[in-house]
Amino acid sequence: MDAPTMWRATTVQACGLWPFAAGSAAPMTGVPLGQHLQTGATVCGDPISWFTRARYISNPSLFMLGMPGLGKSTLVNRMLIGLSATGVVPLVLGDLKPDYADTVRALGGQVISIGRGVGGINILDPGAMGAAAARLGGEAGKALEAETHGRVLNMVAALITVVRSRPMDDHEQSVLSAALHHLRERTPAGKAPLLPDLLAVLREGPDRVRAVTLDRGDQSRYHDAVDPLHRSLLGILDGPLGNTFASETSTRINPNAAAVCIDISRIGEGDTQLTAGAMLAAWSDGLGTVAASHALADAGLAPRRWFFTVLDELWRPLRAASGIVDRIDALTRLNRSLGLGDAKITHTLKDAEALGSESDRAKARGFVERAGMVVCAGLPRAEMEELGRVVGLSRREVELVSSWSSPPGWAMSGGHEEPPGRGRFLIKVGGRPGIPIKVAITDTERELHDTNSRWTASQPHIQAVDTSWEAQV
């Protein structure tokens, strides 16, 4: 039998119903998400509230899996709106469709477009971290400068990994680090170097760079050491990545914005390398802004702020090149110490299984294992059983979520029939039983977030034809 419907009320409102009242196990801390499928009780939650206030999870992160069209981005949009109301700053670092740009605009935030002929990101620009280091000065400023150098080095190495489809060699990273140090020292204050400037340093071969190549004064040994790196940087400038990362940053992230969305939806669906590069650059720039904000807050120069990042369509950068998973792991592993909550969204665990090496697949599975919250939309049974070996799902939970992956029925009236799993999610935290919820969106949310807008726009021009047996008779 189905459990009876339950309502929640205060003791003042429901005192006349006593003793016909019962407690409910549905969590009430965080953003209101929806109703419990079995009890009807309101379920609230988000990674930051469950980490800071409720102490339900030990890591403020969420990993969401589910088939397309079942409402994953709709649920995350609701979290963005709710967290923004509590003062948390949403950061959507690489919006591919876009799913979140309208929500960020409605929140009074900043939307930055990236793509060929639209806008770019200078990956050598220290951005907010560089400005914060100059403002701090002293030992704190030097520490932030060192962190800025590491972030820039990591980002250039990530782009080279995308171009080569394999990771950089260790000695090349040493050469690259020395070249970036030399470039920063000779660049005037307040000006950011560009990738062509980095190429010029490699051509010149200053003593600091030569020392790590072990050329021993032999010009041919120097060229043997730096030419592969030189060719890869030329590939970034003149190859499929174009000049998106070679010129000055078109629009910098505003550290004081109420919300930020970096829109990369104008990059073509098949342009996998540019998509991966843009997403990695957006993540690096956005997380650098977070680090700068906390450094200023530690020094008493700015108010303390918390951030919530959204990394959607995670499978696209993961498949761009072998070794990219290392770069994503390096960019996002320390979110707990950064005052940063995050939501990673993909379709299935098979996105990780498609990676080239076993080490990459293990690291990608680690994203799920480390997540404080795992949220499942509809998935086929085979994939739910695979997920169960990582998360720990009961047979009933596997059956429930699998039933949500079924397609909609054949609508005899010709109307729009939703899939049975749309808006239904299972929230898993550690070994606790899962919380099944149903999300009903408001009219405001429906206007802000329509992933089928390109289909509905042309709908009035399509004339429906009734081919039913009754019409023919």
Side-chain angles (χ1 to χ4, degrees), residues 80 107 113 126 188 260 274 312:
L80 293 186
L107 294 173
S113 295
V260 176
L274 182 56
D312 205 345

PDB file of all heavy atoms in Angstrom, residues 80 107 113 126 188 260 274 312:
ATOM      1  N   LEU A  80      20.657  27.172  -7.457  1.00  0.00           N
ATOM      2  CA  LEU A  80      21.298  28.475  -7.684  1.00  0.00           C
ATOM      3  C   LEU A  80      20.449  29.607  -7.126  1.00  0.00           C
ATOM      4  O   LEU A  80      20.953  30.511  -6.448  1.00  0.00           O
ATOM      5  CB  LEU A  80      21.527  28.704  -9.179  1.00  0.00           C
ATOM      6  CG  LEU A  80      22.521  27.821  -9.924  1.00  0.00           C
ATOM      7  CD1 LEU A  80      22.698  28.323 -11.344  1.00  0.00           C
ATOM      8  CD2 LEU A  80      23.859  27.793  -9.223  1.00  0.00           C
ATOM      9  N   LEU A 107      19.136  37.066 -11.625  1.00  0.00           N
ATOM     10  CA  LEU A 107      19.694  37.301 -10.290  1.00  0.00           C
ATOM     11  C   LEU A 107      20.539  38.560 -10.229  1.00  0.00           C
ATOM     12  O   LEU A 107      21.083  38.882  -9.174  1.00  0.00           O
ATOM     13  CB  LEU A 107      20.546  36.096  -9.867  1.00  0.00           C
ATOM     14  CG  LEU A 107      19.806  34.773  -9.644  1.00  0.00           C
ATOM     15  CD1 LEU A 107      20.797  33.643  -9.394  1.00  0.00           C
ATOM     16  CD2 LEU A 107      18.835  34.891  -8.478  1.00  0.00           C
ATOM     17  N   SER A 113      30.359  35.843 -22.571  1.00  0.00           N
ATOM     18  CA  SER A 113      30.304  34.935 -23.723  1.00  0.00           C
ATOM     19  C   SER A 113      31.714  34.658 -24.236  1.00  0.00           C
ATOM     20  O   SER A 113      32.517  35.581 -24.402  1.00  0.00           O
ATOM     21  CB  SER A 113      29.457  35.533 -24.847  1.00  0.00           C
ATOM     22  OG  SER A 113      28.109  35.666 -24.437  1.00  0.00           O
ATOM     23  N   PRO A 126      46.797  36.851 -14.853  1.00  0.00           N
ATOM     24  CA  PRO A 126      46.571  36.436 -13.456  1.00  0.00           C
ATOM     25  C   PRO A 126      45.195  36.804 -12.942  1.00  0.00           C
ATOM     26  O   PRO A 126      44.755  36.274 -11.923  1.00  0.00           O
ATOM     27  CB  PRO A 126      47.677  37.164 -12.691  1.00  0.00           C
ATOM     28  CG  PRO A 126      48.035  38.334 -13.548  1.00  0.00           C
ATOM     29  CD  PRO A 126      47.842  37.874 -14.962  1.00  0.00           C
ATOM     30  N   PRO A 188      55.599  44.565 -17.599  1.00  0.00           N
ATOM     31  CA  PRO A 188      55.309  45.720 -16.734  1.00  0.00           C
ATOM     32  C   PRO A 188      54.120  45.446 -15.811  1.00  0.00           C
ATOM     33  O   PRO A 188      53.208  44.687 -16.142  1.00  0.00           O
ATOM     34  CB  PRO A 188      54.984  46.833 -17.739  1.00  0.00           C
ATOM     35  CG  PRO A 188      55.602  46.401 -19.025  1.00  0.00           C
ATOM     36  CD  PRO A 188      55.559  44.908 -19.031  1.00  0.00           C
ATOM     37  N   VAL A 260      27.777  34.651 -11.622  1.00  0.00           N
ATOM     38  CA  VAL A 260      28.573  34.710 -12.848  1.00  0.00           C
ATOM     39  C   VAL A 260      28.269  33.486 -13.691  1.00  0.00           C
ATOM     40  O   VAL A 260      28.200  32.362 -13.182  1.00  0.00           O
ATOM     41  CB  VAL A 260      30.086  34.777 -12.551  1.00  0.00           C
ATOM     42  CG1 VAL A 260      30.893  34.746 -13.849  1.00  0.00           C
ATOM     43  CG2 VAL A 260      30.434  36.022 -11.749  1.00  0.00           C
ATOM     44  N   LEU A 274      38.064  22.934 -28.736  1.00  0.00           N
ATOM     45  CA  LEU A 274      37.807  24.291 -28.273  1.00  0.00           C
ATOM     46  C   LEU A 274      36.852  24.285 -27.085  1.00  0.00           C
ATOM     47  O   LEU A 274      37.002  25.068 -26.143  1.00  0.00           O
ATOM     48  CB  LEU A 274      37.239  25.147 -29.413  1.00  0.00           C
ATOM     49  CG  LEU A 274      36.977  26.614 -29.072  1.00  0.00           C
ATOM     50  CD1 LEU A 274      38.244  27.292 -28.557  1.00  0.00           C
ATOM     51  CD2 LEU A 274      36.434  27.370 -30.280  1.00  0.00           C
ATOM     52  N   ASP A 312      28.749  21.589 -15.635  1.00  0.00           N
ATOM     53  CA  ASP A 312      27.772  20.784 -16.364  1.00  0.00           C
ATOM     54  C   ASP A 312      28.424  20.103 -17.565  1.00  0.00           C
ATOM     55  O   ASP A 312      29.479  20.536 -18.044  1.00  0.00           O
ATOM     56  CB  ASP A 312      26.622  21.675 -16.837  1.00  0.00           C
ATOM     57  CG  ASP A 312      25.327  20.899 -17.039  1.00  0.00           C
ATOM     58  OD1 ASP A 312      25.386  19.658 -17.089  1.00  0.00           O
ATOM     59  OD2 ASP A 312      24.262  21.541 -17.148  1.00  0.00           O
TER      60      ASP A 312
END
